[in-house]
Amino acid sequence: MHPAPSVILFSTLSGMGFGLLAWLGIAQPAVFGTTAFGYYFLAYALAVGGLLASTFHLGNAKNAIKAFSQWKTSWLSREAWISVLALIVMGLYASGEIFLNTSYVLLGYLGAALSLTTVFTTSMIYAQLKTVPRWNHPTTTLLFLLYAVSGGALLSGHATLAAVLLLLTGAVQLFSWGMADGRFAARGSTIETATGLGFMGKVRQFEPPHTGTNYLLHEMVYVVGRKHARTLRVLAIVAGSIVPALLIATWRTSLVVLALAAVVHLLGLLAQRWLFFAEAEHVVGLYYDKR
Amino acid sequence: MTELPQSTERSLGLVIDLDTCVGCHACVISCKGWNTENYGVPLSDIDAYGGDPHGTFLNRVHAYEVQPRDGGPAQTVHFPKSCLHCEDAPCVTVCPTGASYKRVEDGIVLVNEDACMGCGLCAWACPYGARELDQLAGVMKKCTLCVDRIYNENLPEEDRIPSCVRTCPAGARHFGDLSDPESDVSKLVAERGGMDLMPEQGTRPVNKYLPPRPRDREDTIDILAPFLDPVIEEPTGFLGWLDKALGAVSGANTDKKGAS
Ligand code: SF4
Ligand code: SF4
Ligand code: SF4
């Protein structure tokens, strides 16, 4: 799948933002006044910034408001609803903490639940697709949630907890790469099942249907750049988990180190998300004898 | 609207004969023509007269080579592909705006371009590559089963079939109601063993493909063949010299032309 920068930015930034909101919602940390303003500003900048970035990959953004209409069947529509609800509920909760020095505990828990549900709905947009076997698995959802929760823990300054969560996320990531690599083959779609010609023999492409490129090849048969996969996997684990975990575990109170750890983590997360798309093979590639 | 209907009154679709298709791409062109002038925004082309032309098509013809496992001669199969108007269309249920829908009356899967936001998720959900986001208009395009022809009373009766079916010079595309076991297309499917593409995806396509018939095999070449003279003989002697000399002269001429 084509690793579009807008989609990568959307899912990484908003994931971190909603992760931070979830921690703030359960009063971890409990913050008030201007401190609270600082935290919420960061969380909203990430969450809303990410959502805005996602509109850049729409071909016809003027109809984006209609995305609220199909929540009965569409995960993308559900994401639209839940994200807006999460932002509203957490906005009310944040106003209490910032202006009234009061935590409305129940509101906070509701907001935290909605924030994580937003990440869940985002993950389901990918995990639901049978056409992309690498994504079509519960580990996709698990990882989206883990990245959000560990990134949020990092941003909210939970040194020990964040270090543990970051390492856990890295371990699950390694495990899920191992599982995902064979999934396309295991699902059994081949050029023979795609064409139905397997009963006659071994099928190969003789001529493509068009000499130039097209939307399908550009969007779904993204094969360039996979050769960097190994390096990027190492980067995703080292920068995404190990380095930030070590940084905050060692200098647990320094704000500068915390900021540095967050930036390094984001770098690793971007590598992870780029791979998430670039390594994902869509079954339509079979019609082009490519994967 | 993106909830799929429990059942449809009819299941209109295409039956494509892989035995007869000659790979002429006439259906590709007639589809592009009809659908650029009629339903929805035109199918755009990018860099149409430049070095890297590409554009939106609703129907494309692949070509495959099949090598029999027993080592016989390979066979070329031309393979037209457009939307299969699936019963369990995953492209419809993922659509967040309600732009994609499957019609109850005839099972046609359509995009309402006035509602589409161009997110491309439906194209990701389709296993067959039947949906393309138009690069100029930014809305999703797909085969409409020529819904603006098949019910169009302004057209003469014989033209009230999809453009690709009407155009195919080999009669490789058939149109009809696949839910009616008595229809011509259903009979054709039963008779020829019509098949689904990628059945493991669980989409239950309406369109069916008729497999190529087994080719005649000539296992022994004519017993007299070894005694036949080769048709082309390299000239020898004077003629051979003349041939070489003339070849050199014309070669030199070409070089001169190239230089000027
Ligand atoms: S072929 Fe693709 S676009 Fe057409 S109905 Fe099936 S899934 Fe949808
Ligand atoms: S591109 Fe249009 S039709 Fe397809 S899922 Fe998005 S809004 Fe629906
Ligand atoms: S039915 Fe119409 S829209 Fe569909 S492939 Fe044929 S010509 Fe194109």
Side-chain angles (χ1 to χ4, degrees):
Chain A
M1 305 295 288
H2 175 64
S6 58
V7 180
I8 293 179
L9 278 178
F10 148 64
S11 67
T12 50
L13 296 184
S14 73
M16 273 177 106
F18 282 109
L20 177 55
L21 282 177
W23 284 105
L24 293 171
I26 58 168
Q28 295 289 337
V31 280
F32 297 100
T34 40
T35 327
F37 180 79
Y39 273 107
Y40 285 107
F41 183 80
L42 178 62
Y44 272 84
L46 290 170
V48 178
L51 290 176
L52 286 181
S54 75
T55 61
F56 286 121
H57 96 285
L58 299 181
N60 196 22
K62 72 175 195 306
N63 281 337
I65 192 74
K66 294 202 166 72
F68 287 97
S69 65
Q70 302 302 315
W71 51 271
K72 278 194 199 157
T73 65
S74 165
W75 282 106
L76 185 46
S77 185
R78 289 172 196 160
E79 184 203 38
W81 273 107
I82 307 282
S83 61
V84 168
L85 285 177
L87 290 174
I88 292 174
V89 171
M90 283 307 292
L92 292 173
Y93 177 73
S95 328
E97 288 191 328
I98 297 171
F99 303 113
L100 307 172
N101 269 349
T102 323
S103 277
Y104 299 105
V105 179
L106 275 181
L107 203 60
Y109 274 93
L110 179 64
L114 285 169
S115 299
L116 289 185
T117 312
T118 304
V119 179
F120 172 75
T121 53
T122 308
S123 77
M124 284 308 289
I125 295 172
Y126 306 105
Q128 69 176 333
L129 294 173
K130 270 196 200 162
T131 47
V132 186
R134 186 178 283 275
W135 292 348
N136 187 220
H137 197 266
T139 43
T140 299
T141 301
L142 181 64
L143 275 170
F144 268 73
L145 286 169
L146 275 175
Y147 276 111
V149 172
S150 58
L154 179 60
L155 290 179
S156 57
H158 287 82
T160 318
L161 197 56
V164 172
L165 282 170
L166 284 169
L167 292 176
L168 176 69
T169 310
V172 174
Q173 176 68 75
L174 276 176
F175 168 73
S176 94
W177 275 329
M179 277 175 72
D181 285 346
R183 199 172 298 132
F184 194 105
R187 292 289 171 86
S189 289
T190 59
I191 190 172
E192 280 81 20
T193 68
T195 58
L197 298 175
F199 75 97
M200 296 166 61
K202 179 87 199 93
V203 182
R204 70 174 184 91
Q205 176 171 255
F206 180 66
E207 260 179 348
H210 40 96
T211 49
T213 184
N214 72 350
Y215 172 75
L216 302 172
L217 289 175
H218 177 263
E219 185 75 8
M220 285 170 266
V221 197
Y222 185 85
V223 286
V224 294
R226 287 210 196 122
K227 59 178 181 289
H228 303 302
R230 283 193 81 83
T231 330
L232 283 169
R233 281 188 179 190
V234 174
L235 180 70
I237 295 293
V238 173
S241 297
I242 300 175
V243 173
L246 286 179
L247 281 175
I248 47 169
T250 320
W251 292 280
R252 47 185 53 243
T253 50
S254 159
L255 205 62
V256 181
V257 171
L258 193 65
L260 182 68
V263 171
V264 175
H265 170 72
L266 183 61
L267 196 71
L269 187 54
L270 289 174
Q272 185 271 348
R273 214 44 62 84
W274 190 89
L275 281 172
F276 178 75
F277 288 99
E279 288 194 303
E281 307 113 321
H282 193 289
V283 292
V284 74
L286 295 170
Y287 286 103
Y288 290 89
D289 218 344
K290 281 183 185 153
R291 254 175 62 185
Chain B
M1 213 159 31
T2 53
E3 283 164 281
L4 288 166
Q6 287 294 327
S7 63
T8 54
E9 285 156 32
R10 294 193 294 162
S11 298
L12 296 186
L14 301 178
V15 170
I16 293 173
D17 192 343
L18 297 178
D19 194 64
T20 357
C21 173
V22 293
C24 67
H25 291 243
C27 58
V28 176
I29 301 309
S30 81
C31 171
K32 176 107 173 176
W34 178 263
N35 287 288
T36 288
E37 289 153 17
N38 295 281
Y39 182 96
V41 298
L43 301 168
S44 71
D45 289 311
I46 311 285
D47 197 17
Y49 301 99
D52 181 27
H54 53 102
T56 312
F57 287 79
L58 311 183
N59 174 35
R60 298 194 184 253
V61 180
H62 295 250
Y64 299 104
E65 186 185 79
V66 192
Q67 179 67 59
R69 291 201 176 74
D70 63 7
Q75 188 174 330
T76 309
V77 179
H78 299 288
F79 195 98
K81 185 162 60 60
S82 49
C83 172
L84 311 173
H85 298 280
C86 307
E87 302 280 11
D88 273 329
C91 55
V92 170
T93 48
V94 297
C95 174
T97 59
S100 282
Y101 60 107
K102 184 168 175 75
R103 297 177 12 141
V104 182
E105 60 270 39
D106 51 17
I108 299 180
V109 174
L110 280 180
V111 175
N112 170 8
E113 293 171 9
D114 294 335
C116 171
M117 68 175 185
C119 65
L121 193 54
C122 54
W124 287 11
C126 169
Y128 308 106
R131 292 177 166 242
E132 300 188 16
L133 189 76
D134 189 85
Q135 298 300 290
L136 279 190
V139 294
M140 196 50 73
K141 302 295 296 187
K142 68 175 292 301
C143 159
T144 64
L145 208 62
C146 288
V147 67
D148 48 358
R149 288 175 68 97
I150 57 179
Y151 299 115
N152 191 339
E153 295 189 348
N154 297 321
L155 295 177
E157 179 102 42
E158 66 269 28
D159 283 336
R160 287 181 217 157
I161 54 173
S163 183
C164 54
V165 176
R166 185 80 176 94
T167 302
C168 179
R173 300 178 77 105
H174 307 269
F175 164 73
D177 179 6
L178 285 133
S179 68
D180 170 10
E182 292 309 311
S183 67
D184 288 348
V185 280
S186 295
K187 285 185 195 153
L188 201 53
V189 169
E191 203 176 294
R192 295 273 308 281
M195 54 190 186
D196 288 349
L197 304 185
M198 270 200 265
E200 69 277 10
Q201 282 278 332
T203 52
R204 297 199 296 136
V206 168
N207 286 12
K208 301 283 182 241
Y209 282 75
L210 306 179
R213 294 182 175 93
R215 285 286 177 265
D216 295 340
R217 291 271 288 265
E218 194 135 35
D219 287 326
T220 45
I221 333 172
D222 194 301
I223 44 161
L224 293 177
F227 303 103
L228 295 172
D229 282 335
V231 179
I232 301 171
E233 248 181 301
E234 288 293 319
T236 51
F238 173 71
L239 275 181
W241 172 82
L242 193 63
D243 197 44
K244 267 197 208 118
L246 285 175
V249 172
S250 58
N253 282 346
T254 327
D255 279 356
K256 258 183 223 145
K257 256 186 222 144
S260 69

